[in-house]
């Protein structure tokens, strides 16, 4: 017979049956919470949409909710501010740009030709000298003594030669009378010739000694600019010194060496052989300032196969001494010139297009073909006429047919420069008049310090005499109240507050800074935190003056004493407010 299942519940099944009501209750509570949260979320979302609908601006062609039109992000009715340039006909140069290095026309290291102690220096570093100019002197005493010695030997041998010549003359007279032998006359003639050779040797030694003595005066071998001194007074210099005494570089005129592509070699060689002058310009590293103008001198006789370039040299007179040897320069070589071609400002071209400003202050695109660039202009070919106006600034905001407003670029540059100049001035200088700034530029540091102290005292006195209404904005605000916009003050009371805010903190008196900050060292950080900002004491001019001369510790004790006196007198409504604020915190 098949076995019947047992109806006795197992421990596991009994546990599941007991837990089912609890699980069911938890699920019901979770569903109820989810439904309540969803209902609350929908209510908040509906309220937010109603509020945004009331505050949102009306959509339209010119409003924020309108569609973007041809004028750009602001819609078709909004005019875009742009700067324009004028299309004109002008001569355009065909230039080859290269990177070059300045080379001195000649360089010489001045070395001593004899050994000795350096006695005198007759030059300054960086001076321009001429060939043969005296630069330094070496101690000449040893060379003077050597010269005197050889001069003595020369005088002795000259005396002996003279005596031998007289004897020879006598011997010849006696030989004519047949009084002496012929041999004696020949011997005397040989002695005379021997002494003549000795005298000649002595003369050579004298000349050599004079030459060595002249080397004690060191002169410039070439004309040029001196470098830095390599030896000092008292040093013993030698001809074998590597660095020598000083270096002279001839930089007037000076040469620039640069490399140009081999594609231009034939054209340049023909123009050089024909005697045509090819102007060369040198620009600084940023290519913002021109340094010099010169002419192409020569081309190298070989082409560098690794780079495909040939070296060229240009000469510059360097009259203003602005060029130095081994200086890095940007070179612009003029190959030829295009006469009276159509040109537009270079920043007006974008992807071979320009925006032409029409008579109704709308813009239209014109396709062009770009030619050579010369400075800020580029030659073009296209549907443009001289006198047309093209957009140079603000191109990225334009579309076909957009309405524009022409802004003078020079005025924009002046405003930007004025803002940069004002931002670059110290904080204490921004509120001074031009007369005060001029006086301040001529003062010594001590006079400037006294000037600012006097200015702070005058401003503090003016602020105290103006009454409570002219107190600094930091005194009139409470720590728990938000700052009201000054534009809402219709009575004009915002103007003093603006003037007070414009006053730099560094020029405000110490008493005023102490009141505005609540003396953060003690009142703002320590026990004074419970006191509101609106109940700070009003100081008299005498108290302000005393407070300026106090140290931070003395100022802290001063304010603590004033608070104690006010509490002993019963306090004011401001103190009550401060106590309430302290209790609330």
């Amino acid at each position: 017979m098949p076995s019947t299942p047992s109806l006795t519940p197992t421990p596991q099944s009994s546990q599941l049956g007991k837990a089912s009501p609890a699980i069911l209750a938890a699920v019901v509570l979770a569903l109820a919470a989810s439904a309540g949260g969803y209902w609350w979320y929908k209510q908040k979302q509906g309220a937010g949409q109603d509020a945004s609908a009331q505050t949102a601006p009306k959509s339209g062609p010119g409003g924020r909710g309108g569609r973007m039109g041809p004028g750009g992000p602001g819609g078709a009715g909004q005019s875009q501010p742009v700067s324009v340039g004028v299309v004109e006909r002008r001569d355009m140069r065909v230039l080859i740009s290269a990177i070059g290095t300045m080379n001195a026309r000649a360089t010489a290291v001045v070395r001593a030709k004899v050994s000795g102690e350096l006695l005198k220096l007759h030059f300054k570093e960086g001076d321009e000298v001429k060939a043969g100019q005296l630069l330094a002197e070496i101690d000449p005493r040893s060379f003077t003594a050597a010269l005197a010695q050889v001069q003595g030997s020369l005088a002795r041998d000259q005396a002996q030669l003279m005596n031998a010549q007289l004897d020879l003359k006598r011997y010849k007279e006696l030989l004519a009378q047949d009084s002496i032998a012929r041999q004696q006359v020949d011997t005397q003639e040989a002695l005379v010739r021997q002494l003549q050779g000795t005298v000649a040797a002595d003369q050579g030694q004298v000349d050599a000694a004079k030459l060595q003595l002249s080397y004690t005066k060191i002169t410039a071998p070439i004309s040029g600019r001196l470098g830095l001194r390599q030896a000092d007074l008292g040093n013993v210099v030698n001809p074998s010194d590597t660095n020598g005494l000083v270096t002279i570089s001839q930089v007037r005129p000076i040469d620039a060496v640069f490399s140009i592509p081999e594609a231009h070699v034939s054209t340049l060689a023909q123009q050089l052989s024909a005697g045509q002058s090819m102007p060369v310009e040198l620009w600084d590293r940023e290519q913002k300032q021109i340094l010099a103008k010169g002419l192409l001198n020569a081309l190298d006789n070989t082409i560098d196969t690794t780079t495909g370039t040939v070296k060229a040299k240009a000469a510059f007179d360097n009259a203003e001494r602005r060029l130095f040897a081994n200086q890095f320069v940007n070179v612009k070589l003029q190959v030829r010139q295009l006469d009276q071609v159509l040109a537009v400002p270079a920043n007006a071209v974008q992807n071979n297009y320009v925006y032409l400003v029409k008579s109704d202050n709308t813009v239209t695109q014109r396709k062009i073909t770009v030619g050579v660039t010369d400075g800020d202009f580029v030659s073009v070919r296209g549907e443009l006429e001289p006198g047309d106006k093209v957009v140079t600034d603000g191109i990225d905001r334009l579309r076909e047919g957009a309405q524009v407003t022409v802004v003078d670029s020079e005025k924009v540059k002046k405003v930007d420069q004025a803002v940069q100049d004002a931002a670059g001035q110290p904080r204490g200088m921004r509120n001074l008049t031009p007369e005060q700034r001029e006086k301040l530029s001529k003062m010594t540091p001590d006079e400037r310090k006294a000037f600012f102290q006097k200015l702070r005292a005058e401003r503090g006195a003016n602020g105290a005499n103006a009454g409570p209404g002219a107190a600094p904005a930091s005194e009139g605000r409470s720590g728990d109240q938000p700052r009201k916009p000054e534009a809402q003050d219709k009575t004009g009371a915002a103007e003093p507050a603006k003037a007070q805010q414009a006053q730099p903190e560094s020029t405000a008196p110490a008493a005023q800074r102490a009141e505005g900050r609540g003396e953060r060292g003690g009142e703002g950080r320590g026990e004074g935190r419970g006191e509101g900002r609106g109940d700070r004491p009003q100081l008299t001019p005498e108290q302000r003056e005393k407070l300026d001369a106090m140290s931070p510790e003395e100022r802290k004790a001063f304010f603590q004493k004033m608070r104690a006196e006010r509490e002993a007198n019963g306090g004011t409504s401001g103190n009550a407010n401060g106590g309430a604020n302290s209790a609330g915190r």
Side-chain angles (χ1 to χ4, degrees):
M1 291 179 63
S3 62
T4 60
S6 175
L7 299 178
T8 303
T10 62
Q12 183 178 3
S13 63
S14 63
Q15 290 178 2
L16 292 174
K18 292 180 181 179
S20 298
I23 295 174
L24 181 60
V27 171
V28 171
L29 290 176
L31 292 175
S34 300
Y38 178 74
W39 177 83
W40 177 83
Y41 171 74
K42 294 298 290 183
Q43 293 293 329
K44 294 293 292 182
Q45 186 179 18
Q49 290 178 356
D50 294 341
S52 61
Q54 293 177 2
T55 58
K58 296 181 180 180
S59 61
R64 187 174 297 177
R67 295 182 302 172
M68 292 179 61
Q78 185 176 359
S79 180
Q80 297 294 331
V82 295
S83 298
V84 299
V86 180
V87 181
E88 58 184 60
R89 290 194 177 274
R90 57 185 299 164
D91 296 337
M92 299 290 292
R93 300 173 300 171
V94 179
L95 301 175
I96 299 175
S97 298
I99 297 174
T101 305
M102 304 307 300
N103 283 357
R105 182 65 61 88
T107 302
V109 179
V110 180
R111 295 187 175 91
K113 297 181 180 180
V114 293
S115 300
E117 180 184 354
L118 195 59
L119 194 62
K120 294 181 181 179
L121 291 174
H122 299 280
F123 67 91
K124 293 182 181 179
E125 298 171 326
D127 285 351
E128 290 280 343
V129 296
K130 296 181 179 180
Q133 181 176 336
L134 180 63
L135 300 179
E137 293 184 26
I138 298 176
D139 187 4
R141 290 176 295 179
S142 60
F143 301 97
T144 304
L147 176 61
Q149 184 177 1
V150 295
Q151 285 179 341
S153 299
L154 175 62
R156 182 196 59 196
D157 294 338
Q158 284 178 343
Q160 292 178 356
L161 174 61
M162 187 176 297
N163 185 32
Q165 289 175 345
L166 291 175
D167 289 344
L168 178 59
K169 184 178 179 181
R170 296 189 192 99
Y171 289 163
K172 287 182 177 180
E173 291 178 354
L174 293 174
L175 181 60
Q177 298 174 3
D178 199 16
S179 299
I180 59 175
R182 179 71 183 180
Q183 182 182 1
Q184 190 174 359
V185 176
D186 295 338
T187 303
Q188 190 63 30
E189 288 180 350
L191 180 60
V192 169
R193 289 193 295 270
Q194 180 181 355
L195 292 176
Q196 287 177 345
T198 302
V199 169
D202 293 341
Q203 185 63 47
Q205 292 180 357
V206 170
D207 294 339
K210 288 182 178 180
L211 183 61
Q212 294 294 314
L213 181 60
S214 67
Y215 287 159
T216 59
K217 294 184 177 182
I218 303 175
T219 58
I222 61 174
S223 300
R225 178 183 294 170
L226 294 175
L228 300 181
R229 187 177 67 249
Q230 302 297 326
D232 298 323
L233 291 177
N235 293 356
V236 177
V237 293
N238 298 283
S240 60
D241 292 341
T242 305
N243 297 328
L245 184 63
V246 70
T247 302
I248 302 177
S249 297
Q250 186 177 353
V251 293
R252 291 196 304 170
I254 192 171
D255 297 327
V257 179
F258 53 96
S259 298
I260 58 176
E262 61 178 340
H264 303 283
V265 171
S266 59
T267 302
L268 296 178
Q270 291 177 1
Q271 293 183 1
L272 282 176
S273 60
Q276 297 181 6
S277 61
M278 284 174 283
V280 180
E281 292 181 353
L282 298 182
W283 293 74
D284 60 355
R285 189 179 296 270
E286 291 78 16
Q287 295 194 12
K288 295 182 179 179
Q289 184 180 7
I290 187 170
L291 300 177
K293 294 181 179 180
L295 297 175
L296 184 66
N297 263 358
L299 292 175
D300 200 359
N301 56 358
T302 56
I303 296 176
D304 189 352
T305 56
T306 58
T307 60
T309 59
V310 61
K311 289 185 176 181
K313 181 182 289 188
F316 302 86
D317 57 3
N318 197 21
E320 299 178 357
R321 305 177 184 178
R322 300 179 61 184
L323 302 176
F324 287 80
N326 299 330
Q327 180 180 356
F328 172 87
V329 289
N330 287 292
V331 183
K332 293 183 179 180
L333 170 62
Q334 179 179 342
V335 179
R336 64 181 185 275
Q337 179 173 307
L338 304 178
D339 298 331
Q340 295 300 306
V341 295
L342 203 64
V344 299
N347 52 359
V349 180
Q350 188 178 42
N351 297 329
N352 293 329
Y353 281 93
V354 294
Y355 275 101
L356 177 65
V357 180
K358 298 191 293 186
S359 59
D360 57 352
N361 285 339
T362 59
V363 295
T364 180
Q365 277 190 343
R366 294 291 174 88
K367 183 174 178 59
I368 58 173
T369 302
V370 180
V372 298
T373 301
D374 185 6
D376 296 334
F377 282 83
V378 56
S379 64
V380 297
R381 294 194 306 272
E383 298 178 2
L384 296 175
E385 296 294 334
D388 289 345
K389 295 181 180 180
V390 292
V391 179
T392 58
D393 189 12
I395 301 176
D396 53 343
R397 302 188 300 268
L398 299 181
R399 300 292 184 271
E400 179 67 27
Q403 190 77 21
V404 296
T405 300
V406 178
V407 180
D408 189 2
S409 59
E410 295 298 329
K411 292 182 179 180
V412 174
K413 292 180 181 179
K414 291 181 180 179
V415 172
D416 292 342
Q417 186 64 32
V419 172
Q420 293 178 2
D421 295 342
Q425 292 180 355
R427 293 181 61 184
M429 295 280 291
R430 296 179 187 176
N431 293 331
L432 300 181
T433 63
E435 294 77 9
Q436 289 175 330
R437 292 177 184 174
E438 184 177 0
K439 291 180 181 179
L440 200 65
S441 62
K442 300 178 181 179
M443 294 182 182
T444 61
D446 296 336
E447 292 175 345
R448 291 190 189 126
K449 183 177 179 181
F451 172 80
F452 280 111
Q453 289 177 351
K454 180 180 178 182
L455 188 63
R456 287 197 296 269
E458 292 177 355
R459 290 179 177 176
N462 294 335
N465 295 335
S474 59
E475 294 181 11
R477 294 197 303 268
S478 175
D480 298 330
Q481 295 178 358
R483 180 179 178 183
K484 296 181 180 181
E486 295 172 354
Q488 296 177 1
D489 192 355
K490 299 180 180 180
T491 61
E495 295 300 324
K498 291 181 179 179
Q500 186 67 24
Q501 291 176 3
Q503 178 179 352
E505 185 179 359
S506 60
T507 59
Q512 185 175 349
R513 297 198 304 269
E515 292 180 28
R517 298 172 184 168
E519 281 299 316
R520 297 175 184 174
E523 194 177 5
R525 295 196 182 106
E527 68 278 6
R529 285 187 178 179
E531 185 175 354
R533 295 186 182 178
D535 59 342
R536 290 172 187 157
Q538 297 292 337
L539 301 181
T540 62
E542 293 76 8
Q543 290 175 332
R544 293 175 185 271
E545 185 176 358
K546 291 181 181 179
L547 198 63
D548 285 337
M550 291 182 183
S551 63
E553 293 78 7
E554 293 174 344
R555 292 176 190 163
K556 179 179 178 181
F558 173 79
F559 279 103
Q560 290 176 351
K561 180 180 178 182
M562 291 192 68
R563 287 197 298 271
E565 291 177 355
R566 288 192 300 167
E567 292 174 358
N569 294 333
T572 61
S573 60
N575 288 339
N577 294 334
N581 293 336
S582 177
R585 293 177 187 173

